[in-house]
């Protein structure tokens, strides 16, 4: 019997709806395995700006840092899309990642057998795909300085900076190697070393870290050709490690292999995951706030529910319970229930709440 405090930052759009279902499933786990999860709701994103003027307050960040784990829905709202706005919902998410030191973002891309016929790909091209993308999350283009818009005598200019230190690269490379060690022993390091200096440093440092992992087969891949490989031969890929922006783009692309963005969970960690060790982390689906779908009981909650499973595994060291959630998701999909985004002929279409109920019942 254990007690855990989980901060829930549901955020914007479909965030609250999908998070509700993940909380429902976690409560079912608590009941079955005799754990108490205390959920504490906090604001992030557009709803936080509405209430406080900031996308993430210092108080909320402190609460997140004190909790056993953070479960996040999504941030982003058309209300704040105007480029003239000083503060954006996304700033809250970036501040949370940085403020919790979550430099390692794990995004597993798994093609589930019962969904293999429901994607835009030939089933034989994607059957069995099981990729772990390790995205660097607190550096690179997202955070590098200078970063600003300004006016010169010759017009307006904007600048973002891609910056990496060798320490930042080494620690994320280690996460990639550790994961490869526990999986298929293959690591694809993705960069743009034919053009970018940060990428050339990335390659150097990855090859230095590789010396500690003689059993891992390392392959350097340029990001453009990686984008192609993901579609051309995704079954050949095991673990991918890459910089922040590349990882953002490649994982949206890779999600299509799994049928929908609504299937992809993620874990943002402050260190390499280790069986039985609790790592500080934040858990969220890779999809956005989908404002057009909000409030319609349509969104697929599976990505968030599976993020809850990752939370149990990595931050609470409850791997048996994590597996129970993953098995429940498989069981419900095997019973032919589908949300709109993964719907195909002959299947039973359900909404967000129904999908959550079904999965909770299978736990
Ligand atoms: C993601 C999202 C975020 C990102 C946005 C909402 C800031 O696209 O988690 O992939 O770019 O990291
Ligand atoms: Mg993204």
């Amino acid at each position: 019997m254990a007690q855990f405090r989980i901060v829930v930052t549901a955020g914007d759009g479909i965030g609250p709806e999908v998070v509700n279902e993940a909380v429902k499933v976690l409560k079912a786990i608590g009941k079955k395995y005799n754990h108490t999860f205390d959920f504490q709701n906090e604001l992030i994103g557009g709803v936080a700006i509405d209430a406080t003027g900031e996308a993430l307050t210092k108080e909320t960040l402190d609460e997140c840092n004190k909790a056993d784990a953070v479960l996040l829905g999504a941030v982003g709202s058309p209300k704040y899309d105007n480029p003239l706005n000083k503060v954006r919902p996304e700033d809250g998410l970036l501040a949370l990642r940085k403020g919790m030191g979550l430099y390692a973002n794990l995004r597993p891309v798994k093609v589930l057998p019962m969904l293999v016929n429901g994607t835009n790909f030939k089933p034989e091209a994607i059957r069995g795909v099981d990729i772990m993308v390790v995205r660097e999350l607190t550096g690179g283009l997202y955070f590098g300085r200078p970063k600003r818009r300004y006016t010169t005598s010759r017009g307006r200019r904007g600048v973002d900076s891609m910056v990496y230190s060798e320490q930042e690269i080494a620690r994320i490379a280690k996460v990639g190697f550790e994961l490869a060690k526990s999986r298929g022993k293959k690591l694809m390091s993705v960069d743009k070393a034919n053009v970018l200096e940060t990428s050339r440093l990335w390659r150097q440092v990855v090859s230095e870290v590789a010396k500690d992992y003689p059993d891992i087969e390392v392959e350097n891949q340029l990001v453009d050709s990686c984008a192609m490989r993901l579609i051309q031969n995704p079954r050949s890929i095991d673990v991918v490690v890459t910089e922040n922006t590349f990882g953002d783009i490649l994982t949206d692309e890779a999600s299509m292999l799994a049928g929908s963005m609504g299937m992809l969970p993620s874990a943002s960690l402050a260190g390499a995951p280790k069986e039985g060790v609790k790592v500080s982390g934040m858990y969220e689906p890779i999809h956005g706030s989908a404002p057009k779908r909000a409030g319609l009981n349509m969104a697929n909650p599976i990505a968030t529910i599976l993020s809850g499973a990752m939370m149990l595994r990595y931050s609470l060291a409850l791997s048996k319970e994590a597996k129970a959630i993953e098995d429940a998701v498989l069981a419900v999909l095997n019973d032919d229930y589908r949300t709109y985004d993964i719907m195909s002929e002959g299947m039973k279409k359900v909404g967000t709440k129904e999908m959550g109920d079904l999965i909770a019942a299978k736990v």
Side-chain angles (χ1 to χ4, degrees):
M1 160 92 196
Q3 187 158 357
F4 301 98
R5 199 160 63 86
I6 295 161
V7 166
V8 177
T9 45
D12 304 318
I14 59 171
E17 291 167 73
V18 292
V19 154
N20 265 340
E21 301 317 308
V23 166
K24 193 187 274 176
V25 172
L26 288 166
K27 282 185 176 158
I29 288 283
K31 211 163 164 195
K32 169 143 185 216
Y33 293 89
N34 211 4
H35 303 301
T36 311
F37 300 115
D38 294 321
F39 296 100
Q40 175 184 339
N41 290 305
E42 297 287 345
L43 298 175
I44 194 166
V47 289
I49 303 176
D50 290 344
T52 69
E54 290 175 72
L56 177 77
T57 64
K58 161 100 179 43
E59 291 72 34
T60 301
L61 175 59
D62 288 345
E63 290 304 311
C64 291
N65 270 317
K66 277 189 276 171
D68 290 298
V70 179
L71 182 67
L72 185 134
V75 298
S77 150
K79 186 173 158 189
Y80 295 102
D81 265 348
N82 187 329
L84 293 173
N85 275 341
K86 283 270 173 295
V87 46
R88 296 185 55 106
E90 290 81 359
D91 298 340
L93 180 56
L94 301 187
L96 182 59
R97 291 170 177 170
K98 194 76 169 176
M100 290 184 71
L102 309 174
Y103 66 88
N105 183 213
L106 275 46
R107 298 187 161 189
V109 181
K110 255 194 199 152
V111 175
L112 303 181
M114 67 297 267
L115 296 183
V116 84
N117 290 310
T119 78
N120 293 342
F121 299 89
K122 290 193 200 110
E124 63 273 20
I126 58 166
R127 188 170 285 119
V129 162
D130 181 357
I131 302 171
M132 177 64 91
V133 180
V134 180
R135 171 188 176 194
E136 200 291 325
L137 203 60
T138 53
L141 262 188
Y142 277 57
F143 292 94
R145 303 277 149 178
K147 182 185 201 67
R148 66 187 187 108
R149 269 173 295 169
Y150 56 104
T151 305
T152 70
S153 58
R154 284 186 291 159
R156 286 167 298 168
R157 304 191 68 152
V159 60
D160 291 284
S161 308
M162 195 186 271
V163 184
Y164 272 108
S165 69
E166 61 176 310
Q167 291 81 3
E168 284 176 304
I169 299 169
R171 67 182 181 178
I172 194 71
K174 272 182 206 146
V175 174
F177 279 105
E178 288 295 329
L179 282 159
K181 208 160 111 181
S182 68
R183 296 171 42 103
K185 312 251 180 316
K186 283 201 293 188
L187 181 67
M188 182 189 281
S189 172
V190 175
D191 60 38
K192 186 73 185 170
N194 52 348
V195 178
L196 303 175
E197 284 301 337
T198 41
S199 285
R200 294 194 261 265
L201 178 63
W202 182 281
R203 239 179 227 214
Q204 276 181 314
V205 175
V206 167
S207 72
E208 287 154 19
V209 175
K211 295 196 178 108
D212 296 333
Y213 298 90
D215 302 345
I216 308 295
E217 180 193 322
V218 188
E219 184 184 3
N220 292 302
Q221 182 83 49
L222 296 172
V223 62
D224 46 354
S225 93
C226 174
M228 184 193 66
R229 271 273 293 276
L230 270 172
I231 302 300
Q232 181 201 39
N233 190 8
R235 286 148 53 106
S236 67
I237 306 175
D238 179 17
V239 179
V240 172
V241 64
T242 192
E243 100 46 79
N244 205 343
T245 309
F246 298 161
D248 177 44
I249 298 168
L250 293 174
T251 48
D252 269 27
E253 183 194 6
S255 75
M256 284 296 101
L257 301 166
S260 163
M261 295 236 287
M263 294 301 298
L264 256 58
S266 90
S268 304
L269 305 177
K274 226 182 193 157
E275 181 76 35
V277 177
K278 295 176 188 167
V279 185
S280 166
M282 188 263 284
Y283 299 83
E284 57 169 323
I286 79 144
H287 62 67
S289 58
K292 288 202 190 98
R293 311 267 182 216
L296 301 175
N297 190 39
M298 266 182 98
N300 184 352
I302 291 179
T304 316
I305 291 169
L306 291 175
S307 300
M310 294 184 90
M311 177 177 94
L312 296 182
R313 180 169 291 119
Y314 298 133
S315 284
L316 311 185
L318 300 174
S319 38
K320 181 170 79 240
E321 291 82 343
K323 174 103 184 357
I325 293 185
E326 289 156 358
D327 289 345
V329 168
L330 293 177
V332 169
L333 292 171
N334 267 329
D335 287 347
D336 296 346
Y337 293 104
R338 302 284 187 273
T339 42
Y340 82 95
D341 56 319
I342 49 173
M343 184 61 192
S344 62
E345 220 184 299
M347 300 291 118
K348 295 174 268 194
K349 194 164 171 182
V350 294
T352 312
K353 286 198 184 100
E354 294 70 34
M355 185 55 97
D357 287 339
L358 287 161
I359 295 168
K362 284 278 186 198
V363 147

